[in-house]
Amino acid sequence: MQPIHYIYPELGTPRKIVITTHQKPDPDAMGSSLGLYHFLTLLGHEVTVISPTNWAAFLDWMPACEKVINFEMNRERSEMIMNSADWIFCLDFNTLHRTKNLAPVVERAGGVKILIDHHQQPAVESFSYGVSDTGKSSTCEMVYDFIEESGHGHLLNKDIAACLYAGVIGDTGSFRFPAASADLHRMVARLKETGLQHTLVHEHIYDSFYENRLRFIGHVLTNRMEVFYEYNTALIWVTKQDLLRYDIKTGDTEGLVNYPLSIMGIRMAAIVIDRDEERKWSFRSKGNVDVNTFARRYFEGGGHFNAAGGRSSASLEETLRTFRKVLKETASEFQLT
Ligand code: 5GP
Ligand code: MN
């Protein structure tokens, strides 16, 4: 993978560009994709954002979100556009399998692949150009850097700002995580100067759910949480029946994993959701508890030091048993005792 600044001189020549991101895009994935979409469109490129899957309804407000193609619903059209792209930007993931069923399509496509991402252990051989920086708060911050460093900072506008701000608050827990640097706060000041209404972005993302979701959270915290005080860890599980009973949709479980971290002393929180095709894990931690390694080693996943995800094809009961077992065996290695 060559450094991304090699493509800066090429940005002035109009091209067909596809932007893609990880499956079930979160605010950082969708915000960085649409922020870059607006920027490249202003430069005169023909740009299409293709999401590997559907996404949470709380992202639909983002400017141009209605133009994003859901690959699972439009396979032929997506493949056609992907195959005719000169450039394929890959945002907020660093191994192709994170794009699920879209992965073979991206892999086969002839376009130049360009990575912008902040996760650990990038598969650099899959990309021709790119930037991978685990020190960055969010891919949105990196798209901002891309716009500024390529010499086009004057093109920043309110639409780009709203998209990028959404990803920043999503990935930094609204500026509370250590990755929220002075540079990031300077970036937000610059976004505010474009006319960004940050309060609206917070409301779109955090205050736009139905009553059922709050009742569901109440149910889960009351009946589906186990606290291991000896390991400073808490575990939440969600059954298929819970998802049906509360009519839970994509995005409704986002953020649930953070609740146990508000218990004094808890330094690792895990949640597993019994989805149709797999058991999907999320891990969050505080301080020196490395959930990237934990997820990678035991749950086919990875991510960041303090926030990672994984999966299991075992039953819910079995994957819960595995979690309890490895927690007990590795608690001291992971600094949980
Ligand atoms: P979440 O728990 O919100 O799904 O994901 C937490 C972080 O880990 C995100 O940055 C996400 O992109 C990453 N992540 C989630 N699931 C996986 C996975 O299965 N593999 C890898 N490598 N990263 C993941
Ligand atoms: Mn991210």
Side-chain angles (χ1 to χ4, degrees):
M1 188 170 84
Q2 304 280 324
I4 198 155
H5 66 78
Y6 284 23
I7 72 162
Y8 293 168
E10 302 293 320
L11 283 171
T13 311
R15 284 185 166 78
K16 287 188 179 163
I17 297 179
V18 164
I19 300 170
T20 192
T21 186
H22 60 74
Q23 61 149 323
K24 301 280 175 186
D26 57 9
D28 190 35
M30 191 60 100
S32 57
S33 297
L34 285 173
L36 185 64
Y37 165 89
H38 290 291
F39 170 66
L40 294 173
T41 302
L42 285 173
L43 281 175
H45 300 283
E46 187 183 324
V47 192
T48 310
V49 179
I50 302 178
S51 168
T53 64
N54 69 341
W55 54 87
F58 63 72
L59 299 176
D60 285 342
W61 61 273
M62 283 188 187
C65 193
E66 72 284 356
K67 292 190 179 148
V68 177
I69 300 178
N70 174 354
F71 168 71
E72 286 188 331
M73 306 297 284
N74 301 278
R75 285 177 186 245
E76 273 185 27
R77 194 169 148 232
S78 304
E79 257 187 81
M80 223 173 62
I81 297 171
M82 190 72 81
N83 287 335
S84 63
D86 304 311
W87 284 359
I88 301 168
F89 277 90
C90 298
L91 302 191
D92 203 37
F93 70 93
N94 60 22
T95 53
L96 292 184
H97 70 82
R98 293 278 290 131
T99 63
K100 211 177 163 190
N101 298 324
L102 184 62
V105 180
V106 179
E107 196 154 12
R108 277 197 305 269
V112 172
K113 283 158 207 143
I114 305 162
L115 176 76
I116 304 181
D117 179 67
H118 66 138
H119 292 91
Q120 305 208 354
Q121 286 113 335
V124 287
E125 67 283 358
S126 301
F127 309 95
S128 301
Y129 300 95
V131 53
S132 165
D133 186 348
T134 58
K136 287 288 172 182
S137 67
S138 54
T139 302
C140 282
E141 183 183 358
M142 301 174 79
V143 167
Y144 174 84
D145 292 345
F146 177 79
I147 295 172
E148 284 287 341
E149 285 166 13
S150 64
H152 301 281
H154 60 281
L155 291 178
L156 280 171
N157 62 25
K158 220 171 146 176
D159 287 349
I160 298 175
C163 295
L164 299 186
Y165 185 77
V168 166
I169 61 173
D171 270 28
T172 62
S174 297
F175 303 101
R176 64 176 286 181
F177 301 145
S181 63
D183 278 343
L184 182 73
H185 286 277
R186 273 188 282 269
M187 158 187 162
V188 172
R190 178 73 188 90
L191 298 184
K192 282 297 290 175
E193 284 163 1
T194 68
L196 166 71
Q197 293 184 281
H198 67 277
T199 305
L200 286 184
V201 178
H202 285 266
E203 285 178 7
H204 281 309
I205 292 189
Y206 298 114
D207 303 339
S208 65
F209 297 101
Y210 295 112
E211 178 186 336
N212 67 311
R213 189 218 182 215
L214 207 56
R215 304 256 178 223
F216 165 75
I217 293 173
H219 160 70
V220 166
L221 296 182
T222 308
N223 304 307
R224 303 277 186 260
M225 184 171 74
E226 187 173 343
V227 183
F228 307 84
Y229 284 103
E230 68 276 40
Y231 306 130
N232 300 299
T233 293
L235 165 67
I236 288 176
W237 63 95
V238 176
T239 69
K240 282 199 174 78
Q241 205 193 357
D242 296 333
L243 297 173
L244 280 174
R245 182 173 153 207
Y246 289 91
D247 192 25
I248 292 307
K249 303 269 193 286
T250 299
D252 283 344
T253 52
E254 184 111 9
L256 198 49
V257 64
N258 293 309
Y259 284 87
L261 289 177
S262 67
I263 303 172
M264 203 189 305
I266 296 302
R267 299 175 61 227
M268 173 158 98
I271 185 171
V272 58
I273 300 171
D274 195 357
R275 302 237 179 256
D276 286 336
E277 64 283 15
E278 63 188 12
R279 265 43 64 206
K280 184 75 185 99
W281 281 94
S282 283
F283 305 95
R284 298 291 186 273
S285 67
K286 286 183 177 171
N288 56 1
V289 179
D290 176 5
V291 289
N292 170 53
T293 300
F294 190 84
R296 197 166 284 267
R297 204 189 288 166
Y298 301 111
F299 296 99
E300 302 172 40
H304 309 285
F305 195 92
N306 293 124
R311 56 170 300 281
S312 168
S313 38
S315 69
L316 181 63
E317 290 67 30
E318 210 178 318
T319 196
L320 283 170
R321 263 198 301 277
T322 302
F323 176 86
R324 293 188 186 101
K325 181 166 172 283
V326 298
L327 175 66
K328 197 171 161 186
E329 288 169 0
T330 64
S332 82
E333 179 191 344
F334 284 96
Q335 324 259 350
L336 287 164
T337 49

